[in-house]
Amino acid sequence: TTNYKSKINHIKSLMLKESKKISELFQENMEMLKHPDRLPKYIKTGYYSLDKILGGFMLGEFVVIGAKMSMGKEKLLQNLAINISKSTPILFISLKSNESYLTNQFISTIKGIEINKSENYDISKNEQLILESIERNITDLKLFVNNVSFSRFR
């Protein structure tokens, strides 16, 4: 218990030492506004409401999205990745989906073809034409995909 308490006290002291009053941060921000070249660079998400609230994502920022299962996290991130990768390189990492599934998910997101149709190749002639035209859309994206398998870490 003594070791545990000392660790907690150490963490508290670090947090207090590294924490700043909001008034100090405000003054720093006001100073930055005087020098626009020092302002952080933001990447727009492609969603007006989200960009209005967040300003976009800060360049180099590590973003984690969390929610309950089946709430649409992966689909939201695929949409964000597509929007952002039009102007900025994006690395899309999946811990659960293989590359083929991810590719079909992105196709579905970009062109609106139901995912189960493209997975089973049960597509109409019109959908086939849409799939053939998708290469033009995908080529311009700066989107990289990596499916990290947990088996690699064993």
Side-chain angles (χ1 to χ4, degrees), residues 23-41:
S23 58
E24 291 174 48
L25 294 171
F26 177 77
Q27 289 302 320
E28 288 175 16
N29 281 1
M30 293 305 290
E31 191 60 35
M32 269 198 294
L33 288 174
K34 295 175 185 175
H35 306 282
D37 56 313
R38 294 185 197 166
L39 291 173
K41 305 292 183 231

Side-chain angles (χ1 to χ4, degrees), residues 28-113:
E28 288 175 16
N29 281 1
M30 293 305 290
E31 191 60 35
M32 269 198 294
L33 288 174
K34 295 175 185 175
H35 306 282
D37 56 313
R38 294 185 197 166
L39 291 173
K41 305 292 183 231
Y42 287 91
I43 301 165
K44 299 298 181 192
T45 66
Y47 291 100
Y48 175 77
S49 297
L50 191 59
D51 289 336
K52 186 176 175 185
I53 293 169
L54 299 177
F57 294 121
M58 200 180 308
L59 192 60
E61 185 175 30
F62 181 78
V63 178
V64 177
I65 306 287
K68 293 180 189 177
M69 288 176 51
S70 300
M71 297 301 290
K73 296 177 295 292
E74 191 168 55
K75 197 54 142 176
L76 168 67
L77 292 172
Q78 287 169 352
N79 278 286
L80 288 171
I82 289 166
N83 289 346
I84 295 169
S85 69
K86 292 173 184 172
S87 62
T88 306
I90 291 289
L91 173 59
F92 189 94
I93 299 173
S94 175
L95 300 176
K96 66 174 189 162
S97 302
N98 65 40
E99 290 169 346
S100 175
Y101 180 77
L102 286 171
T103 302
N104 285 329
Q105 284 283 332
F106 280 111
I107 289 169
S108 170
T109 301
I110 292 168
K111 286 297 186 181
I113 296 173

